[in-house]
Amino acid sequence: MTITIAQHAAQPLTVSRLGYGTMRLTGPEIWGEPADRPQALEILKTAVASGVNFIDTADYYGEDVTNRLIAEALYPYPTDLIICTKVGATRRPDKSWVPFNTPENLRASIDNNLRTLRQGQVQLVHLRLMGHGPVPLDEQLGAMFEMQREGKIQHVGLSNVTRAELEEGLQLGPIATVENMYSYAQRTTMELPHGANPGGEEVLDLCEQHGIPLIPFFSLVHGLPNAGDKLAEIARKHNATEAQLNIAWLLHKSPWILPIPGTSSLAHLRENLKAADIKLSAADMAYLG
């Protein structure tokens, strides 16, 4: 199973429909070095060796921890590997999350990602919205598109967006992808300590209409505790875990969904990858709702 990113662009990207999100490779609270650095490096190598060619990261994971791990484990990169990063936020020493979204901030973040990832161009960058504050969306995206014209960025996506923000973004320029919280049990906006996380269900039809891949994040962390009995029942039917069923549900929900389940466990990585082999019937999907 593959999906095409920026299908109408001059240089579209084709990736396997099960990627890997690196956020869990950091220390506690998405901060600092991993508890088991050798395993973290092995996870990245195993993911790519297993056919994963889409890796999601951000320079504010750690800070810079996941970017440096990716470069250490995988550089020089396979020619088909797509590394997707995010800008628009940063971390304070107290581990809080704050906007970092002025044009100058965004340029500094892109330059930092290029440096830590050892790249001349980032293939896909999500502008993560953390509340606009004094910086309107058109100013933020304008800076992103300017760096795209300069060649620093190949494709621009949006992350953590409401439907209205996505509609506005589509009017401002080509949006390649959307990355929002989405899982079987957490489909709509969720309030978290650092702000609201808009849900994938609220933008999925718009993504499908425009041929924009939807990349769900936090799908396992927030989905499984509230999944209920139906997911467990279908998981037992397919001799799978609930985590695997969550991934399989996303893959079957729409051909425009590109899951990126993350983990700091090599065993869980292998388990997650097997979810792509689960075939849910129309009856299964109807029962799950």
Side-chain angles (χ1 to χ4, degrees):
M1 295 183 294
T2 61
I3 192 169
T4 300
I5 296 168
Q7 59 176 338
H8 301 301
Q11 295 179 305
L13 307 173
T14 299
V15 298
S16 298
R17 267 191 72 212
L18 193 55
Y20 173 70
T22 62
M23 187 176 70
R24 295 294 159 191
L25 292 185
T26 60
E29 299 183 61
I30 318 170
W31 187 269
E33 296 292 332
D36 187 339
R37 186 180 183 86
Q39 181 171 217
L41 295 170
E42 189 60 32
I43 285 169
L44 289 163
K45 293 174 182 177
T46 300
V48 171
S50 301
V52 171
N53 66 343
F54 185 90
I55 293 180
D56 178 83
T57 185
D59 66 346
Y60 51 79
Y61 291 168
E63 299 171 319
D64 285 329
V65 168
T66 56
N67 281 6
R68 288 188 279 105
L69 289 170
I70 289 168
E72 182 177 342
L74 302 174
Y75 188 86
Y77 303 120
T79 55
D80 67 338
L81 180 64
I82 307 303
I83 299 175
C84 168
T85 193
K86 289 177 288 297
V87 298
T90 191
R91 307 291 299 280
R92 288 177 173 157
D94 64 0
K95 302 180 186 177
S96 60
W97 303 71
V98 294
F100 195 68
N101 57 5
T102 68
E104 295 77 18
N105 293 156
L106 296 172
R107 184 170 291 274
S109 292
I110 290 297
D111 287 341
N112 187 51
N113 276 281
L114 290 170
R115 177 182 60 82
T116 54
L117 289 170
R118 304 183 198 175
Q119 290 184 309
Q121 180 186 67
V122 184
Q123 295 143 305
L124 176 62
V125 182
H126 286 124
L127 172 62
R128 179 178 174 85
L129 302 187
M130 298 281 290
H132 303 311
V135 189
L137 179 58
D138 61 346
E139 190 172 331
Q140 296 180 56
L141 267 177
M144 299 293 288
F145 291 137
E146 181 178 351
M147 288 185 282
Q148 186 180 39
R149 290 189 292 271
E150 293 171 3
K152 290 176 180 282
I153 300 170
Q154 187 174 357
H155 299 295
V156 174
L158 286 169
S159 176
N160 209 46
V161 291
T162 64
R163 187 180 184 89
E165 289 166 338
L166 177 55
E167 289 172 337
E168 182 182 353
L170 288 166
Q171 295 297 315
L172 295 171
I175 303 301
T177 46
V178 170
E179 185 171 355
N180 269 24
M181 178 181 287
Y182 194 35
S183 71
Y184 170 74
Q186 187 58 53
R187 308 185 192 188
T188 56
T189 298
M190 183 179 190
E191 294 289 340
L192 293 173
H194 58 267
N197 280 173
E201 191 91 335
E202 296 156 350
V203 296
L204 178 57
D205 67 313
L206 197 55
C207 289
E208 292 174 327
Q209 178 185 337
H210 290 273
I212 297 172
L214 173 63
I215 302 169
F217 68 82
F218 275 175
S219 59
L220 300 183
V221 171
H222 292 293
L224 291 185
N226 304 308
D229 296 334
K230 287 186 176 181
L231 192 72
E233 181 180 337
I234 300 299
R236 288 193 296 270
K237 172 184 172 182
H238 290 273
N239 194 29
T241 68
E242 292 181 51
Q244 288 174 316
L245 247 292
N246 184 76
I247 298 167
W249 180 84
L250 288 167
L251 290 169
H252 286 76
K253 178 69 175 177
S254 170
W256 288 103
I257 293 178
L258 170 58
I260 52 166
T263 179
S264 59
S265 162
L266 188 57
H268 286 162
L269 170 71
R270 293 187 172 119
E271 182 179 283
N272 290 343
L273 294 177
K274 290 179 181 177
D277 298 328
I278 298 171
K279 306 299 181 186
L280 298 179
S281 67
D284 289 335
M285 290 298 291
Y287 181 68
L288 290 168

